């Protein structure tokens, strides 16, 4: 379990470092803060912000990763962090930051979302996504999309313009078309690696069932992945965004936890923002996102403890995966019960942290 308080770091640097370049810039927005006493603590608090991202949890082992591959994953995560950080730094919204970070990961073939989505048992790609605004509790979710290049942006459009919370399949894509969201041919989502993972699972299925076609277990690296972002902006607003191609060899029409508000995606300014990755069926049954928020709101639990309790519940049901979360103070939690989770966070001073293994 990783747990970091970005907030503490921020205050430590902000209060004592006229000389730290990134934060010195930040502080220029606070009029003559360094020369005049007393320092306006409320203003300083408003300057708090934070961003956490993930690119999926699973069996990710150092021994099976080439240096080149690892470099590519890390670079992709850093690009996503940068996209979100630039928005938050200049006072933009957590919704914009999470959407932008997720779009970068959707465009990167290494991650199971958008371009790099896994294949269904029918050899097609079907994507789910969701976004939630912690300030208003407005949410938008999309499921079983086949042609939307960036599902997270359609989720946002559903939230802002449809009058609904969740839309799926052809109806969602018609709504996308009407509103100028980019649609692409299914060919766009083809990647050799994902195709091979499907063939591997199909072969294993045949082997183990003698061709009967019953469900079988395969490493989670072959099976799934997801991308997500959670953020706190300078106005104290939290947001969560998650996007996925789902699980390899899923039945067409299967929907995971990602677009289920309160399961794979949740945000509430009173508590926290959460984005999950893992065996979706279990994350839905364990109501992960909503439970973390409820444990904080009703039990007064810390973010760290609440996140762990929710993930333990997934594990108890038999599920694996992880999640990222941030609370209204800027504290973050990134627990996972797999051997790895692609993940990263950024301090308000612009220091990026990217991690993969336990
Ligand atoms: N949670 C995703 C789903 O079940 C997959 C994953 O995150 O690995 O669709």
């Amino acid at each position: 379990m990783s747990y970091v308080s970005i907030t503490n770091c921020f205050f430590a640097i902000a209060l004592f470092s006229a000389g730290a370049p990134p934060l010195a810039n930040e502080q220029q927005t606070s009029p003559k803060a360094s020369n005049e006493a007393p320092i306006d603590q409320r203003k300083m608090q408003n300057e708090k912000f934070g961003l956490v991202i993930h690119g999926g949890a699973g069996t990710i082992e150092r021994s099976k990763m080439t240096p080149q591959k690892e470099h590519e994953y890390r670079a992709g995560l850093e690009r996503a962090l940068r996209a979100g950080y630039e928005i938050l730094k200049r006072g933009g919204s957590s919704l914009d930051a999470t959407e932008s970070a997720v779009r970068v990961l959707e465009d990167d073939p290494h991650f199971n979302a958008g371009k790099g989505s896994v294949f269904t048992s029918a050899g097609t790609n079907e994507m789910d996504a969701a976004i939630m605004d912690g300030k208003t509790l407005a949410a938008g979710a999309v499921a079983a999309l086949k042609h939307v290049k960036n599902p997270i942006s359609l989720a946002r459009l559903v939230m802002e313009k449809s009058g609904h919370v969740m839309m799926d399949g052809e109806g969602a894509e018609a709504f996308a078309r009407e509103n100028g969201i980019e649609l692409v041919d299914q060919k766009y989502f083809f990647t050799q690696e994902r195709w091979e993972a499907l063939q591997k699972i199909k072969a294993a299925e045949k082997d183990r069932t003698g061709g009967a076609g019953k469900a079988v277990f395969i490493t989670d690296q072959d099976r799934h992945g997801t991308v997500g972002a959670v953020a706190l902006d300078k106005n104290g607003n939290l947001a969560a965004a998650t996007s996925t191609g789902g699980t390899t060899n899923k039945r067409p029409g299967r929907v995971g936890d990602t677009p289920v508000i309160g399961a794979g995606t949740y945000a509430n300014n009173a508590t926290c923002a959460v984005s999950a990755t893992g065996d979706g069926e279990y994350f839905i049954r364990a109501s992960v996102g909503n439970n973390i928020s409820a444990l904080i709101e009703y039990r007064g639990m810390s973010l760290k403890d609440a996140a762990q309790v929710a993930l333990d519940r997934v594990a108890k049901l038999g599920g694996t995966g992880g999640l990222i979360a941030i609370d209204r103070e800027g504290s973050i939690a990134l627990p996972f019960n797999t051997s790895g989770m692609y993940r990263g966070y950024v301090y308000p001073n612009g220091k990026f942290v990217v991690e993969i293994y336990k």
Side-chain angles (χ1 to χ4, degrees), residues 10 20 46 68 76 84 87 93-94 100 114 116 129 140 164 180 184 202 209-211 223-224 244 271 303 329 341:
F10 173 73
N46 287 345
Q68 176 60 26
I87 291 170
S93 73
S94 51
S100 296
H164 304 306
V184 291
K202 282 193 176 291
T209 63
R223 288 186 298 134
H224 57 70
T244 190
T271 54
L303 180 77
E329 305 300 331
M341 179 166 81

Side-chain angles (χ1 to χ4, degrees), residues 6-336:
I6 284 182
T7 314
N8 293 343
C9 169
F10 173 73
F11 277 116
I13 301 168
L15 286 169
F16 301 115
S17 74
L23 273 167
N25 288 341
E26 291 296 288
Q27 292 306 304
Q28 279 161 15
T29 59
S30 170
K32 299 183 191 157
S34 55
N35 297 333
E36 290 176 3
I39 292 169
D40 184 342
Q41 287 287 349
R42 273 170 313 172
K43 175 71 188 168
M44 302 271 299
Q45 276 181 4
N46 287 345
E47 296 289 295
K48 277 191 296 196
F49 64 97
L51 173 69
V52 192
I53 61 167
H54 71 80
T59 311
I60 308 167
E61 273 152 26
R62 217 181 283 266
S63 57
K64 303 217 170 80
M65 181 81 85
T66 64
Q68 176 60 26
K69 260 256 145 73
E70 179 165 337
H71 172 78
E72 288 167 14
Y73 277 108
R74 286 181 179 277
L77 290 166
E78 270 190 45
R79 272 195 302 275
L81 280 174
R82 183 160 307 284
Y85 173 74
E86 292 298 334
I87 291 170
L88 294 170
K89 191 174 85 162
R90 59 170 190 262
S93 73
S94 51
L95 274 176
D96 286 347
T98 52
E99 181 189 357
S100 296
V102 165
R103 279 182 70 102
V104 170
L105 296 170
E106 285 178 337
D107 291 342
D108 186 328
H110 293 88
F111 302 99
N112 174 20
K115 170 71 186 150
S117 291
V118 299
F119 287 91
T120 68
S121 58
T124 53
N125 307 95
E126 293 191 2
M127 292 147 285
D128 306 332
I131 192 162
M132 187 159 181
D133 179 357
K135 182 181 175 190
T136 59
L137 301 187
V142 286
L145 303 178
K146 286 189 174 156
H147 304 99
V148 176
K149 184 165 178 270
N150 292 105
I152 197 63
S153 294
L154 182 57
R156 178 136 184 210
L157 192 76
V158 167
M159 175 175 85
E160 291 176 344
K161 294 217 174 113
S162 72
H164 304 306
V165 168
M166 188 183 250
M167 295 181 73
D168 80 350
E170 285 175 17
E173 294 197 342
F175 181 64
R177 204 169 293 119
E178 280 163 32
N179 286 280
I181 291 261
E182 188 174 358
L183 297 171
V184 291
D185 193 276
Q186 278 259 294
K187 275 189 281 192
Y188 167 78
F189 302 105
F190 182 89
T191 56
Q192 192 62 34
E193 202 176 326
R194 300 297 188 202
W195 183 251
E196 280 165 18
L198 176 67
Q199 306 318 313
K200 194 167 142 191
I201 289 184
K202 282 193 176 291
E205 197 172 69
K206 247 188 177 167
D207 265 11
R208 290 189 212 180
T209 63
K214 285 190 201 134
V216 291
F217 249 175
I218 281 275
T219 70
D220 32 345
Q221 176 75 346
D222 288 328
R223 288 186 298 134
H224 57 70
T226 282
V227 308
V230 293
L232 167 71
D233 66 31
K234 289 183 178 180
N235 290 315
N237 292 320
L238 292 165
T242 318
S243 182
T244 190
T247 52
T248 304
N249 203 33
K250 67 183 179 184
R251 286 178 187 274
R254 176 264 188 191
V255 176
D257 61 313
T258 296
V260 178
I261 299 303
T265 307
Y266 193 72
N268 181 345
N269 272 9
T271 54
C272 62
V274 179
S275 171
T277 168
D279 301 315
E281 283 70 8
Y282 298 94
F283 280 74
I284 293 173
R285 290 165 59 203
S287 301
V288 169
N290 185 57
N291 264 324
I292 296 173
S293 175
L295 287 167
I296 296 171
E297 189 168 3
Y298 306 137
R299 284 266 193 94
M301 230 181 234
S302 69
L303 180 77
K304 175 189 169 191
D305 290 348
Q308 193 60 53
V309 167
L311 190 61
D312 288 349
R313 199 167 181 183
V314 170
K316 208 167 163 195
L317 291 171
T320 63
L323 63 93
I324 53 171
I326 186 165
D327 70 13
R328 59 193 182 147
E329 305 300 331
S331 295
I332 65 172
L334 308 86
F336 54 96

